[in-house]
Amino acid sequence: ALAECATPAYQKYAKDVIINAKALAAALEDEGMRAVSGGTQTHLALMDIRSTGVNGKVADERCGAAGIVMNKNSIPYDPEKPGITSGIRVGSPATTTQGMGVEEMKQIASLISRAIKTDDPKAHAGIKTEVHALTARFPIYQA
């Protein structure tokens, strides 16, 4: 693992993961959510979603219904119980591994925001179709 980390290709990948995480956090802020630490310097971002009127548990469920993997997460001084939360945690390693970049992070932020802000199962199904179309452009394994 250390030998792989020393390669230029891995170092580029690691930088791209952070660039993508920053872009995803910024795009979610553009959607009205708040990056708890003002952004991110790592592979993930913790977002305060109270402005959406939805708690983390509901956001997690709605995103799951829309084919989006992320999870609820407590935020500092969270007024919600640990099983509910006021935040979500999103990351970029998997999407970066698939070859996605900053433009796709903007699209992903829009998909997340739309999924969180609706309770309509038909809307979630439509978002899931968009998620599948996006991921089909960036297959995990090359044939």
Side-chain angles (χ1 to χ4, degrees), residues 9 16 20 26 39 41 50-51 53 55 62-63 66-67 84 88 91 105-106 113 127 131:
D16 288 347
N20 282 346
Q41 300 294 317
R50 290 178 291 177
S51 65
N55 64 47
R62 289 179 180 180
C63 283
I84 304 296
I88 59 171
M105 297 305 111
K106 293 175 186 175
S113 178
I127 294 166
V131 168

Side-chain angles (χ1 to χ4, degrees), residues 3 24 78 143:
L24 181 56
D78 201 328

Side-chain angles (χ1 to χ4, degrees), residues 7-142:
T7 66
Y10 184 85
Q11 291 171 16
K12 180 188 180 315
Y13 164 75
K15 288 177 183 174
D16 288 347
V17 166
I18 294 169
I19 288 167
N20 282 346
K22 287 180 178 188
L24 181 56
L28 286 168
E29 285 192 313
D30 290 345
E31 294 286 341
M33 298 171 223
R34 181 181 67 86
V36 167
S37 60
T40 185
Q41 300 294 317
T42 69
H43 63 290
L44 57 85
L46 177 58
M47 307 301 297
D48 177 346
I49 63 166
R50 290 178 291 177
S51 65
T52 67
V54 174
N55 64 47
K57 182 176 188 257
V58 171
D60 186 8
E61 292 166 353
R62 289 179 180 180
C63 283
I68 299 167
V69 178
M70 58 95 197
N71 65 295
K72 68 182 187 275
N73 209 101
S74 294
I75 60 172
Y77 309 105
D78 201 328
E80 293 287 352
K81 294 179 181 178
I84 304 296
T85 80
S86 295
I88 59 171
R89 184 179 66 186
V90 295
S92 64
T95 53
T96 303
T97 297
Q98 288 177 257
M100 295 185 199
V102 170
E103 289 306 311
E104 288 77 27
M105 297 305 111
K106 293 175 186 175
Q107 186 177 356
I108 291 167
S110 173
L111 294 166
I112 290 170
S113 178
R114 289 171 35 220
I116 288 173
K117 293 175 182 176
T118 184
D119 62 356
D120 180 4
K122 289 181 182 178
H124 290 142
I127 294 166
K128 191 173 196 173
T129 299
E130 292 180 61
V131 168
H132 288 170
L134 174 62
T135 58
R137 292 183 19 230
F138 297 91
I140 295 172
Y141 300 106
Q142 300 299 320

